[in-house]
Amino acid sequence: MREMKISLTFQKQAYAVFFVIILSLVRGVSYSNEIGIALEAPMAILAFTFCADTYTQEIVSRRSEIWRLCPMKKRIYFICRRIVIQEIFLLTVAAASYGLFFLLQNPIIYGMGQNGLESEICQFFVYFTAIAVTLGFWGILSNLISCLFRNMWVGIGGCMVLWLMTNSVIGDRIFGAWNLFSYSFRNLEDSSDFSWIYGKIVCICIGILAMAALPEIIKKRG
């Protein structure tokens, strides 16, 4: 509960909920298989702004001096626990926002007449898996950059530059199936094409490397 109060303040929860409500109102979709595309890139922005202050809030509040008295393993444990708490909240919001699109826009179910309901359930679980990787990657990356430069705004800005590079037509042409947003650029007409998974594997690998580098960065940057 203590870590939840620190990492999930009322303001952060409020703007996350407000963000997805506005998104589901202004981002139009015609078919249900377009919902994932409408959500992935904006949810990435929410993730790296949401998690950028996971550790830097200790610096701003001047609690980092106290943290330095704790063993490194304990410090990393608390940071990881805060990231997990934030990611679980964001994943819950992402799942709820999928339902909001149905509630507010009533899109046509893709594959209607061909076991449409089962297809929609499978489609949701595919989305849920992809968005979980996306949220985890951008949240971990923004925290890492923020720790490196001891500034959450640098973490957000660095992630935004990468977001603009990869969430674009040029990024899709250069990286293809290895793009960080490969799920958004997938072939909607071919539901059996899972080549976009390569992009998510890249996200997972970078995320693992980022978490492995975090103890050394915290040790040197405090």
Side-chain angles (χ1 to χ4, degrees):
M1 291 300 296
R2 176 177 173 275
E3 295 301 324
M4 287 181 66
K5 289 179 180 179
I6 294 174
S7 57
L8 284 181
T9 62
F10 174 77
Q11 292 86 348
K12 293 177 76 170
Q13 295 181 57
Y15 80 67
V17 173
F18 182 75
F19 178 85
V20 296
I21 291 175
I22 295 298
L23 180 64
S24 62
L25 287 171
V26 302
R27 181 64 164 86
V29 296
S30 299
Y31 293 91
S32 60
N33 62 342
E34 298 173 356
I35 297 177
I37 295 176
L39 281 171
E40 186 184 26
M43 289 303 299
I45 294 177
L46 183 60
F48 65 68
T49 54
F50 202 87
C51 299
D53 69 340
T54 301
Y55 178 70
T56 55
Q57 59 182 296
E58 302 295 335
I59 298 173
V60 173
S61 62
R62 298 182 180 180
R63 293 194 300 261
S64 58
E65 296 297 327
I66 299 175
W67 270 56
R68 289 179 181 177
L69 300 176
C70 299
M72 179 57 64
K73 287 185 178 180
K74 189 173 182 180
R75 291 158 68 183
I76 297 301
Y77 169 73
F78 281 123
I79 293 173
C80 291
R81 190 162 68 173
R82 290 180 184 180
I83 290 176
V84 169
I85 291 171
Q86 292 175 110
E87 292 293 346
I88 290 174
F89 174 78
L90 289 172
L91 193 56
T92 303
V93 171
S97 61
Y98 194 96
L100 272 177
F101 271 87
F102 274 99
L103 180 65
L104 299 176
Q105 298 198 32
N106 193 27
I108 300 171
I109 295 179
Y110 183 75
M112 182 71 79
Q114 302 176 2
N115 297 322
L117 182 58
E118 290 128 5
S119 174
E120 188 57 46
I121 293 173
C122 291
Q123 189 170 271
F124 171 77
F125 280 112
V126 169
Y127 157 79
F128 190 80
T129 303
I131 204 68
V133 175
T134 297
L135 293 173
F137 168 76
W138 290 101
I140 291 170
L141 183 65
S142 67
N143 176 67
L144 181 75
I145 298 174
S146 297
C147 290
L148 181 62
F149 292 95
R150 295 173 61 86
N151 190 308
M152 64 171 286
W153 296 110
V154 177
I156 293 173
C159 287
M160 179 57 74
V161 171
L162 181 61
W163 185 92
L164 291 171
M165 291 172 57
T166 53
N167 185 40
S168 64
V169 175
I170 295 176
D172 182 40
R173 289 176 181 173
I174 294 174
F175 301 109
W178 299 93
N179 191 359
L180 299 178
F181 290 103
S182 56
Y183 175 76
S184 293
F185 290 103
R186 73 193 190 282
N187 183 6
L188 290 178
E189 301 301 323
D190 185 5
S191 58
S192 63
D193 180 16
F194 284 92
S195 60
W196 57 267
I197 289 178
Y198 297 135
K200 296 306 160 191
I201 292 175
V202 172
C203 290
I204 292 171
C205 292
I206 296 176
I208 292 173
L209 291 175
M211 291 304 297
L214 185 61
E216 191 63 27
I217 290 175
I218 295 295
K219 181 179 179 180
K220 289 186 177 181
R221 300 295 290 163

